[in-house]
Amino acid sequence: MAMGDVHQLQLWWRRRWGTERRATVAWVFAALFIVLFLAAGSRLGDTALGGTGTLARSSSDPALVDLTLVRDAEEKGAVCLDGSPPGYHLQRGFGSGVDSWLVHLEGGGWCSSLESCSLRKSTPVGSSHHMERQVPFVGILSNIPSQNPDFHNWNKVKVRYCDGASYSGEGESETQDGTKLFFRGQRIWKAIMGELLQKGLANAKQALLTGCSAGGLATFIHCDEFRELLPKEITVKCFADAGFFLNEKDISGKSYIQSFYSNVVRLQDVGKKFPDCISRMEPSQCFFAEEIIKNVKTPLFILNPAYDSWQIQNIFVPASSDPQQSWQRCKLNIHNCDSNQIKSLQGFRYALLNALSEFKKNNNGGMFINSCFVHCQTIYNFTWHSSNSPRVNNKTLAEAVGDWYFGRAKVQEIDCAYPCNPTCHHLNLMQPYRM
């Protein structure tokens, strides 16, 4: 995707965001924007994140990894929203990492209605017909030691996201505009894990399940299932990036995100994943990480920015909560926020820390909460591990996660409040490719 294309997508998305009457439709485009923007940034090196990457090829260019479609997907009932087979990208490990596996679950929002799910069918987050046939492996997926010191030579998998419910829907097929929609996220998860087990995952000596955004939420959801696939004697852990979505009211006092999740859970019958939880509370509450992690037994690491740019735009200040658009410039660039808005954002940060207070007591758990205005930090070299990466207590994300995974140190890093951390490179959606 060319830089100019991303620029046009950004401009179109912002116009759409300001005028869209149906919020669920706006979320589809917000999700697609994230997927395309991040994919484009990966292809353009670190330029998308304000780094010094160029379009010229060099020895540090990322490997391009082919898409593999699931065999016999239709027979297994494991299909994307449009009925096409789901897919993944597998890069084989080498050297000391030949028996180690890292599985990354792609993100891209959710769909909560037949209309919004139908819109996703013509995008990479709803159909393998629209997925890139090759993707660059960067950040936590990089095979270059200087960019990914602890996991560069592992077997690495990027699982493509095409069900719209964090790989967890188990609903019946529905018809929209004369065509069928399939809600098969759980079957997709099982089918892809089954193929990976046959391709060597079953013989892993150590493994890590990770994911970003909706894939980060899926990491929480499937963590113990992943553990159960593998021998009890090996090290298996889970690491969620930007998947801890808060169940907070928006600036107008409405529970916008819980209402949205309620529609997702009902449409795709996600409640089947949480039988104990839904017996105690409203099913949509069970779709929040704060509830999910209470029952996860496998060691977890939680990475989240305290000022998650996606959450601020879609949970804290959705379009419906700001009809006068007084937050528009602020939620696209944190440097544009006035003192009252910053005070509100500090309250949002406090809500995150409060939601994580019990998890902090978990001796097997890891945490990295920085004060950057960004979303998804593992899938760029620039934010994952480089000389200019964001740091907390002088650790990059890669160093913190590696220390936790390999038991080199206890890692529960919580950054000071904005704007105290000079290593942050804050997302600026008002100007493409600026941080």
Side-chain angles (χ1 to χ4, degrees), residues 102 140 148-151 154 208-210 237-241 300-303 366-368 377-378 383-385 395-413:
L102 185 151
I140 197 170
N148 192 19
D150 285 309
F151 307 108
W154 286 30
L208 177 63
L209 177 69
T210 183
K237 298 185 180 183
C238 303
F239 164 38
D241 174 11
L300 278 172
F301 190 103
I302 297 175
L303 163 64
M367 190 187 306
F368 194 100
Q377 300 178 80
T378 57
T383 47
W384 175 242
H385 186 71
K395 283 186 179 181
T396 66
L397 306 181
E399 290 166 344
V401 173
D403 284 351
W404 165 77
Y405 185 89
F406 294 104
R408 297 190 294 246
K410 184 175 181 179
V411 180
Q412 291 194 339
E413 306 292 358

Side-chain angles (χ1 to χ4, degrees), residues 421-432:
N421 189 339
T423 68
C424 278
H425 296 263
H426 304 289
L427 188 64
N428 180 358
L429 287 170
M430 298 188 74
Q431 298 179 5

